[in-house]
């Protein structure tokens, strides 16, 4: 049995490869939202999971392998399915969050006690947290030396797709008691689903297409990845989050591109972004409750605004009605597509945590609910970076000015005009100056005064220094 989790692919899948070398295979995916500490998926992530599972089912069918779906706590479901199918072994690719590691350890212990072979494999990270250590033997807390150390290590080649004809007999799969995916209720409202489907195609084939397309223009990434008005990013994040393509495959494709086309600042910047993803996963291994606990304990005393007092501003931020066009364009892009440009994520996060003094965990929870690429490492890791409470964090006094950022990274306001219809009609109006628009445009006034709120934020930070 191969236990699929956040690795919904057949290429470079070490657990699948190992199982296929041993005999007949059944694939199992468990929707576990009940095990202690496991965080239930947000709505956008559930939509992606639904499409990704459908793609995986087709890929496995081509190999002759049935996919069994079960819902419930994995520590209960796995033993039941193993007993019902009579499987003599189980393989999976390792996870690194605290609750997930605990679940996996429990399953492995049950297998040891009941004579079932259990083997786990490295598949989601280029190097695992316990293998990359500082000279003093501890984990890295600063990205630059982490990245230098990672680059110095060998990275394995990706594995091919296993040969076909490895599937278990139909009656064996039937014994597992598979569930109907429709009953999992993963798809949101038709309107919301249509908006996501207009932008995204989940699945392994789509991941490879996106990677190939991106590498054709990777030379522009160094500059283009900061421009929300351009198609300058890879948009691989949801595919990597769901393991539809492995980091080894992405790394290998990028390195082969470099050997064929030569190096470029864009390619090197892209590899560094893969490194930042790794850094956040290593951080999560150190801080299993990263989405609720400050990496820097001093922030436990930070004077965030009272939730009731800030409720109106939070709602305006969520709905893209803050009066700051770049932020509002990003928040509306998020609501419509389940994704937001990374530069705009930083600016929106800075406005919320610093100008509005709202606890970063409020923003992280909203992103968890609305992003198709929401995952437990990069999400909270990046939120803590913006808030100043994380590892290798942006200094708290670095407060992004959303108007300046808009002029710099969306100079012709194409991104703003696309996502804010109120600002799209009058070419004579400057969307970068909300204070000059006037009420007739129908766009809200800024929710906060930028200079005054900056001073308030710096005073709040001074109180915990």
């Amino acid at each position: 049995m191969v236990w699929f989790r956040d690795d919904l692919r057949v290429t470079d899948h070490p657990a699948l490869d190992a199982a296929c070398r041993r005999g007949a295979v059944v694939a199992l995916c468990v929707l576990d939202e009940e095990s202690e500490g496991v965080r239930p998926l947000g709505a956008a992530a559930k939509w992606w999971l639904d499409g990704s599972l459908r793609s995986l089912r087709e890929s496995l069918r081509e190999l002759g392998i049935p996919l069994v779906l079960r819902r419930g706590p994995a520590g209960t479901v796995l033993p039941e399915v193993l007993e019902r199918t009579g499987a003599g072994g189980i393989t999976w690719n390792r996870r690194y969050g605290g609750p997930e590691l605990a679940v996996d350890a429990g399953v492995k212990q049950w297998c040891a006690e009941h004579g079932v072979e259990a083997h786990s494999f490295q598949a989601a990270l280029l190097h695992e947290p316990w293998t990359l250590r500082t000279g003093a033997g501890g984990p890295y807390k600063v990205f630059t030396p982490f990245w230098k150390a990672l680059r110095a290590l060998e990275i394995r080649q990706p594995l091919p797709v296993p040969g076909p004809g490895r599937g278990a007999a139909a009656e064996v799969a039937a014994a597992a008691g598979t569930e109907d995916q429709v009953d999992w209720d993963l798809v949101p409202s038709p309107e919301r689903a249509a908006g996501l489907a207009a932008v995204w195609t989940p699945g392994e084939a789509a991941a490879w297409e996106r990677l190939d397309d991106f590498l054709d223009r990777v030379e522009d990434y160094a500059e283009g990845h900061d421009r929300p008005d351009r198609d300058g990013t890879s948009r691989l994040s949801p595919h990597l989050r769901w393991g539809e393509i492995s980091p080894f495959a992405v790394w290998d494709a990028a390195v082969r591109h470099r050997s064929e086309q030569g190096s470029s600042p864009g390619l090197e910047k892209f590899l560094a972004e893969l490194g930042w993803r790794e850094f956040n996963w290593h951080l999560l291994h150190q801080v299993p409750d990263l989405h609720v606990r400050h990496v820097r304990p001093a922030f436990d005393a930070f004077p965030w605004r009272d939730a009731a007092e800030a409720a109106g501003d939070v709602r305006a931020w969520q709905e893209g009605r803050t009066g700051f066009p770049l932020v509002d364009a990003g928040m509306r892009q998020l609501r419509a597509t389940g994704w937001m440009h990374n530069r705009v994520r930083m600016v929106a996060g800075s406005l919320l945590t610093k100008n509005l003094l709202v606890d970063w965990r409020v923003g992280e929870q909203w992103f968890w609910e609305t992003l198709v690429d929401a995952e437990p490492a990069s999400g909270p890791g990046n939120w803590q970076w913006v808030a100043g409470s994380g590892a290798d964090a942006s200094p708290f006094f670095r407060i992004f000015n959303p108007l300046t950022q808009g002029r710099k990274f969306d100079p012709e306001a194409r991104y703003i005009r696309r996502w804010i219809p109120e600002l799209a009609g009058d070419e004579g109006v400057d969307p970068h100056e909300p204070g000059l628009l006037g009420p007739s445009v129908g766009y809200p006034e800024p929710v906060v005064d930028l200079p005054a709120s900056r001073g308030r934020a710096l005073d709040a930070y001074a109180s915990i220094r």
Side-chain angles (χ1 to χ4, degrees), residues 8 29 31 41-58 67 69 180-188 193 196 201-203 242 244 372:
L8 306 181
C29 182
L31 180 60
L41 297 172
K46 285 183 177 180
W47 175 87
W48 192 285
L49 174 61
D50 182 74
S52 191
L53 283 174
R54 296 181 190 282
S55 173
L56 177 66
R57 184 186 301 279
E58 291 304 312
L67 175 62
L69 302 181
D180 191 326
Q181 187 171 325
V182 173
D183 294 336
W184 283 9
D185 195 25
L186 298 174
V187 180
L196 296 173
T201 302
W242 288 106
E244 296 170 346
V372 292

Side-chain angles (χ1 to χ4, degrees), residues 181-422:
Q181 187 171 325
V182 173
D183 294 336
W184 283 9
D185 195 25
L186 298 174
V187 180
S189 68
E191 180 182 3
R192 176 69 168 146
L196 296 173
V199 179
W200 299 104
T201 302
E204 185 172 2
W208 281 99
E209 289 177 8
R210 192 169 290 277
L211 175 62
D212 291 342
D213 171 73
F214 171 68
L215 289 177
D216 287 340
R217 50 188 172 82
V218 70
E219 285 74 15
D220 299 326
Y221 183 73
E223 177 188 359
H225 82 286
D226 268 330
R227 293 288 298 270
D229 58 337
R230 301 178 182 175
D231 185 18
T233 65
S234 73
R235 298 205 180 197
L236 281 169
S237 55
H239 298 289
L240 281 166
R241 184 263 178 267
W242 288 106
E244 296 170 346
I245 192 168
S246 80
F248 297 94
V250 175
W251 187 275
D252 179 67
V255 170
R256 282 190 287 107
H257 181 90
R258 182 173 58 191
S259 67
E260 296 168 0
Q261 306 293 331
S263 186
S264 67
L267 183 64
E268 295 305 317
K269 177 62 178 174
F270 175 64
L271 291 176
E273 292 298 323
L274 282 179
W276 183 254
R277 172 183 179 270
E278 294 265 324
F279 181 70
N280 278 314
W281 275 104
H282 285 229
L283 178 61
L284 178 68
H285 188 257
Q286 303 168 40
V287 187
D289 50 351
L290 186 63
H291 69 292
V292 293
R293 179 156 66 96
H294 296 114
V295 175
R296 297 176 59 191
F299 272 80
D300 292 346
F302 191 86
W304 306 109
R305 288 169 67 196
D306 178 77
E309 174 199 347
D313 288 343
V314 170
R315 188 160 51 252
W317 179 83
Q318 292 172 339
E319 296 174 356
R321 297 185 297 100
T322 68
F324 297 104
L326 184 66
V327 172
D328 291 344
M331 299 305 293
R332 296 185 192 192
Q333 180 187 30
L334 173 61
R335 290 172 69 91
T337 71
W339 186 85
M340 188 196 303
H341 189 277
N342 185 61
R343 166 59 58 173
V344 187
R345 294 189 199 198
M346 290 190 289
V347 179
S350 177
L351 181 75
L352 184 73
T353 59
K354 295 175 179 178
N355 297 98
L356 299 179
L357 280 187
V358 173
D359 193 323
W360 63 267
R361 287 166 286 207
V362 174
E364 193 278 337
Q365 179 59 40
W366 182 250
F367 275 22
W368 180 264
E369 179 66 21
T370 55
L371 282 171
V372 292
D373 62 4
E375 49 103 317
S378 295
N382 286 333
W383 269 101
Q384 293 215 47
W385 182 88
V386 168
S389 64
D392 200 11
S394 173
F396 187 87
F397 54 78
R398 184 186 183 192
I399 302 174
F400 290 106
N401 184 311
L403 304 181
T404 302
Q405 291 282 307
R407 289 193 179 280
K408 182 176 182 180
F409 296 110
D410 185 26
E412 296 175 6
R414 290 198 298 264
Y415 177 76
I416 289 172
R417 292 184 191 277
R418 177 183 179 186
W419 293 108
I420 305 180
E422 306 95 294

Side-chain angles (χ1 to χ4, degrees), residues 14-214:
L16 177 63
D17 182 78
C20 288
R21 293 175 186 275
R22 296 177 65 86
V25 175
V26 172
L28 171 69
C29 182
V30 180
L31 180 60
D32 182 359
E33 298 181 300
E34 300 177 41
S35 294
E36 183 177 0
V38 171
R39 197 174 181 188
L41 297 172
K46 285 183 177 180
W47 175 87
W48 192 285
L49 174 61
D50 182 74
S52 191
L53 283 174
R54 296 181 190 282
S55 173
L56 177 66
R57 184 186 301 279
E58 291 304 312
S59 297
L60 290 170
R61 182 177 289 131
E62 293 177 4
L63 301 178
I65 297 173
L67 175 62
V68 173
L69 302 181
R70 292 290 301 271
R71 188 172 197 162
T76 301
V77 172
L78 264 292
E80 177 196 334
V81 173
L82 288 167
E83 288 183 333
R84 291 176 65 169
T85 59
I90 181 171
T91 61
W92 65 76
N93 295 323
R94 287 191 283 273
R95 302 181 290 185
Y96 304 97
E100 291 79 11
L101 283 171
V103 169
D104 295 359
V107 172
K108 187 167 284 191
Q109 180 178 349
W110 183 93
C111 290
E113 294 171 352
H114 291 79
V116 177
E117 291 189 32
H119 300 282
S120 63
F121 299 87
Q122 175 190 355
L125 297 180
L126 300 173
H127 287 285
E128 295 180 297
W130 47 86
T131 65
L132 200 61
R133 315 297 282 181
T134 67
Y140 284 92
K141 298 182 178 179
V142 178
F143 175 70
T144 300
F146 171 88
W147 178 228
K148 183 178 179 181
L150 189 149
R151 291 298 300 267
L153 297 176
E154 184 178 354
I155 294 172
R156 70 162 174 81
Q157 292 293 303
L159 300 168
V161 180
R166 300 291 188 177
E171 58 267 23
V172 175
T178 189
E179 299 171 1
D180 191 326
Q181 187 171 325
V182 173
D183 294 336
W184 283 9
D185 195 25
L186 298 174
V187 180
S189 68
E191 180 182 3
R192 176 69 168 146
L196 296 173
V199 179
W200 299 104
T201 302
E204 185 172 2
W208 281 99
E209 289 177 8
R210 192 169 290 277
L211 175 62
D212 291 342
D213 171 73
F214 171 68

